[in-house]
Amino acid sequence: MSARIARRLNRERPPAGSYLVRLITRPSRGAVTFRQWVRRGEIGIVGLALLSGAAAGLLALLMSEATHGLHVALFGAGAQYGLSLLEDADPRLLLALPALGGLLLGLLNWGIARRGLRTPIDPIEANALHGGRMRLSDGAVVAAQNIVSNGFGASVGLEAAFAQVGSSFASRLGGAFGLRRGDLRVLVGCGTAGALAAAFCAPITGAFYAFELVVSTYSIASLAPVMASAVAGMLLASALGRTAVLAGAGSFAAPTLGDYALALLLGLLCGLLAIALMKGMTLVEALLRRAVPWGWLRPVAGGLAVGGLALLSTGVLSAGHGVLHLALASDLTLPLLLGLLVLKTAGTAISIGSGFRGGLFFASLLLGALFGKLFAIAGVTLLPPAMMPTTVDPMLYAVIGTSAFGAAVVGAPLALTFLALEGTRDFAVAGPVLVAVIAATMVVRRLFGYSFATWRFHLRGETIRSAHDIGWLRDLTVGRLMRRDVTTVPLGVSLAVIRRTYPLGATQRLIVVDDANRYAGLLLLPEVHAAGPVFDTIDPLVRLRQRALLPAMNAKEAMALFEDAETEAMAVVDGVQTLRVLGMLTEAHLLRRYGEEVDKRRRDEVGIP
């Protein structure tokens, strides 16, 4: 008997090598078995993460090259070293091309709306509300919008498209293997990590960007797949000749106590400037909505404005990679830094506010570098020597400003700190960068309360503040939890009839309806049997006449109504006007199911199967 049981267990749990044999000899059954093995094992998830990271990195680099090719084709050979460093350009091209890009983008958006396609779901929203489920078509739409916006010179970056395409691919890959909700959310973060790691050749930056913004938590279980994905993206980028974005900053001396004090002040100012930038974009959008009622024409107006700024300085065009390297690798004068800072801030606010698609990730890095260098030079020039450290390195403050302003806008303080370390490969910047990043993020959190990503959700009416999974709560509705087998009785029926029809123990509660079969209240059967001869009908005993649940309410909303009504059960009706009874929900069942779901999410976060 024991030998038979052992053979049966061996058949149910085949050795790892048999998966490959089965896949070759019986492809259909082998594919199913391999899919099950991937779903059940941590090694399988890491394998999918590696594939997601490499694919996301490749897609990010392809989009980057496509945009660069568009720059050269439209603006001429002078754009090959960076559109923001373009010299001796034809003023007509500078003015017309961003507007033409706005027209193409408007027509593209109009065509998407005509086809009835939904608004693309970005990785943060997907993980917060949809359990990591994304569509490849969303990635294609966002990629096309970003390439047109950036390629024609709008002052936006491509990082939003990188993250969208990488996470969409990862989500579809995870869906093909039937990953569980928690694993799928982590894999979406893997796609984002691989794309950002490839874009900046910084694996730790990409990984912590995913942890802080897309996965919204850090755990040992998610560490291996996210890190593996980021390394895969970085290795692919390095093999194709990609370099770190802050490589031109050089090395720095050990910071003094005065440097830490100035870094704190710089971080506070970066936080205030970041708030001004995000509010400025909202203001521009509101003004354009009033001035240009046709949505597809607003990017044209924004493109004309950006083109006008480009006549003053081409540094406002595109993401600004060339200007960032110029700011880090050379000495710029105070008026030039101030002019670039003002123009780039205005160009970015106009581009995003008018409807151009793109992220603020790279724009925030550039603005931070310009502001940090401006801060250092202005301090040396304007402040008394007693208030400044013995030596002030403008390059150091450019790097500090890059991380501080980026953290204030993007909302990923650790990712931006690691970007400074990986970009410069100099640990001397770690202390001042951390001080500035902490100060900047605290200013934004206390005075504004949103990062750029969550601010966009707020403007759309969403309540999410991060990618923390609350979609399960929205799915846990009263309609899913209620009992449909309920008993109804008419209003005005006599107590004697109820006592004869429903003896004690037959049920606990009865739902009362009126002559039009609409909800009229709740009746407790023990109270009916305990009532004396004072009452003839059930009407005086009817409770909760104006209290009922709706099927679309989530668990938290229902719990609040239970607490306010001080009852243990409530009827569920289809609407406040029709009041047709659908079922009943008890508070005990609601709390039990809510507790089970909370426990399941906590297990997913810490990696407990």
Side-chain angles (χ1 to χ4, degrees):
M1 180 65 70
S2 60
R4 185 183 304 170
I5 294 176
R7 287 196 298 271
R8 182 176 299 174
L9 290 175
N10 288 334
R11 286 197 301 269
E12 292 176 355
R13 299 180 182 179
S18 67
Y19 289 112
L20 181 59
V21 175
R22 188 176 300 178
L23 186 62
I24 295 172
T25 58
R26 297 182 179 180
S28 58
R29 287 189 60 186
V32 173
T33 305
F34 179 70
R35 179 173 176 267
Q36 293 174 347
W37 175 77
V38 170
R39 291 182 72 247
R40 294 173 182 172
E42 187 174 355
I43 297 177
I45 303 298
V46 173
L48 293 182
L50 286 169
L51 182 58
S52 299
L58 180 60
L59 291 171
L61 296 180
L62 289 176
M63 282 189 289
S64 181
E65 289 301 316
T67 307
H68 182 261
L70 199 56
H71 290 164
V72 175
L74 294 174
F75 291 90
Q80 61 180 333
Y81 300 110
L83 186 57
S84 56
L85 294 180
L86 187 64
E87 297 180 355
D88 302 325
D90 187 344
R92 293 171 297 180
L93 287 179
L94 294 179
L95 189 61
L97 285 176
L100 178 60
L103 179 60
L104 291 177
L105 180 65
L107 294 175
L108 175 63
N109 294 339
W110 177 80
I112 292 172
R114 289 274 296 179
R115 290 180 63 94
L117 298 178
R118 71 179 187 187
T119 302
I121 298 174
D122 79 348
I124 298 175
E125 186 179 5
N127 269 1
L129 301 178
H130 305 285
R133 295 185 297 274
M134 302 177 68
R135 299 191 306 181
L136 286 176
S137 58
D138 288 351
V141 168
V142 173
Q145 292 172 332
N146 277 251
I147 289 174
V148 170
S149 299
N150 188 287
F152 279 81
S155 190
V156 293
L158 289 170
E159 291 73 28
F162 296 163
Q164 182 77 34
V165 171
S167 56
S168 296
F169 177 85
S171 177
R172 292 299 299 158
L173 182 63
F177 280 88
L179 295 187
R180 298 174 181 86
R181 185 187 185 99
D183 293 334
L184 186 60
R185 294 180 70 254
V186 171
L187 199 63
V188 168
C190 292
T192 305
L196 269 294
F200 294 98
C201 207
I204 304 179
T205 300
F208 274 86
Y209 181 93
F211 284 133
E212 293 181 285
L213 293 183
V214 181
V215 183
S216 192
T217 187
Y218 168 83
S219 67
I220 299 299
S222 61
L223 174 65
V226 174
M227 282 293 188
S229 176
V231 170
M234 183 273 299
L235 289 177
L236 180 68
S238 298
L240 296 177
R242 199 81 172 188
T243 58
V245 69
L246 302 181
S251 58
F252 309 99
T256 63
L257 187 60
D259 288 320
Y260 280 90
L262 289 179
L264 176 63
L265 178 59
L266 177 58
L268 296 174
L269 295 176
C270 283
L272 295 175
L273 184 59
I275 295 173
L277 174 63
M278 289 185 278
K279 286 194 172 183
M281 288 184 297
T282 307
L283 178 62
V284 169
E285 185 175 4
L287 292 176
L288 282 174
R289 283 183 180 275
R290 296 177 184 175
V292 185
W294 304 280
W296 63 277
L297 277 179
R298 289 182 201 128
V300 179
L304 285 173
V306 172
L309 295 176
L311 295 177
L312 301 175
S313 172
T314 56
V316 303
L317 295 176
S318 190
H321 289 79
V323 174
L324 180 60
H325 287 295
L326 180 66
L328 294 174
S330 60
D331 295 328
L332 302 179
T333 62
L334 191 64
L336 182 56
L337 284 169
L338 182 59
L340 282 173
L341 179 65
V342 172
L343 292 175
K344 184 63 179 178
T345 302
T348 302
I350 292 171
S351 297
I352 299 293
S354 61
F356 282 103
R357 286 302 298 263
L360 278 183
F361 194 105
F362 200 91
S364 65
L365 300 184
L366 174 56
L367 292 173
L370 294 173
F371 186 63
K373 205 165 189 180
L374 178 67
F375 174 84
I377 296 175
V380 172
T381 305
L382 303 176
L383 295 179
M387 298 180 62
M388 300 295 292
T390 307
T391 58
V392 175
D393 187 351
M395 295 299 176
L396 172 63
Y397 288 91
V399 173
I400 295 173
T402 297
S403 293
F405 195 86
V409 172
V410 177
L414 284 178
L416 271 298
T417 301
F418 284 119
L419 179 63
L421 297 180
E422 292 183 293
T424 63
R425 294 176 173 84
D426 191 338
F427 281 93
V429 304
V433 164
L434 276 173
V435 170
V437 164
I438 292 171
T441 51
M442 286 187 65
V443 166
V444 173
R445 285 178 64 86
R446 296 296 299 173
L447 300 182
F448 193 60
Y450 300 90
S451 65
F452 174 63
T454 55
W455 176 239
R456 289 186 294 113
F457 295 139
H458 170 73
L459 295 178
R460 283 165 38 192
E462 288 286 356
T463 58
I464 59 176
R465 293 291 188 96
S466 69
H468 187 75
D469 190 5
I470 62 171
W472 65 269
L473 179 60
R474 296 191 177 187
D475 293 338
L476 195 66
T477 61
V478 169
R480 290 183 57 189
L481 299 176
M482 68 180 182
R483 290 179 48 194
R484 297 184 180 273
D485 54 334
V486 294
T487 304
T488 60
V489 295
L491 191 66
V493 68
S494 68
L495 287 176
V497 170
I498 296 295
R499 287 168 180 163
R500 286 197 305 269
T501 308
Y502 304 101
L504 275 175
T507 184
Q508 285 289 321
R509 302 168 186 88
L510 300 171
I511 295 178
V512 183
V513 295
D514 60 13
D515 296 337
N517 205 32
R518 297 182 303 177
Y519 173 73
L522 206 64
L523 185 66
L524 298 181
L525 191 61
E527 290 186 356
V528 172
H529 285 273
V534 180
F535 307 123
D536 294 328
T537 67
I538 64 171
D539 292 7
L541 301 178
V542 176
R543 298 186 174 196
L544 304 176
R545 291 178 180 268
Q546 304 295 327
R547 300 291 184 91
L549 300 172
L550 299 176
M553 289 179 175
N554 64 44
K556 276 195 172 182
E557 293 171 336
M559 285 190 288
L561 285 180
F562 272 113
E563 184 176 357
D564 184 59
E566 298 181 355
T567 183
E568 296 179 354
M570 295 183 74
V572 183
V573 298
D574 62 346
V576 293
Q577 299 297 328
T578 55
L579 295 177
R580 186 170 64 88
V581 177
L582 299 179
M584 182 184 296
L585 179 64
T586 64
E587 186 180 26
H589 179 66
L590 173 66
L591 292 175
R592 180 173 62 82
R593 289 288 293 113
Y594 179 78
E596 290 174 353
E597 291 295 328
V598 169
D599 183 62
K600 186 184 299 183
R601 304 309 156 204
R602 288 176 178 172
R603 286 175 174 269
D604 286 341
E605 289 180 358
V606 299
I608 300 176

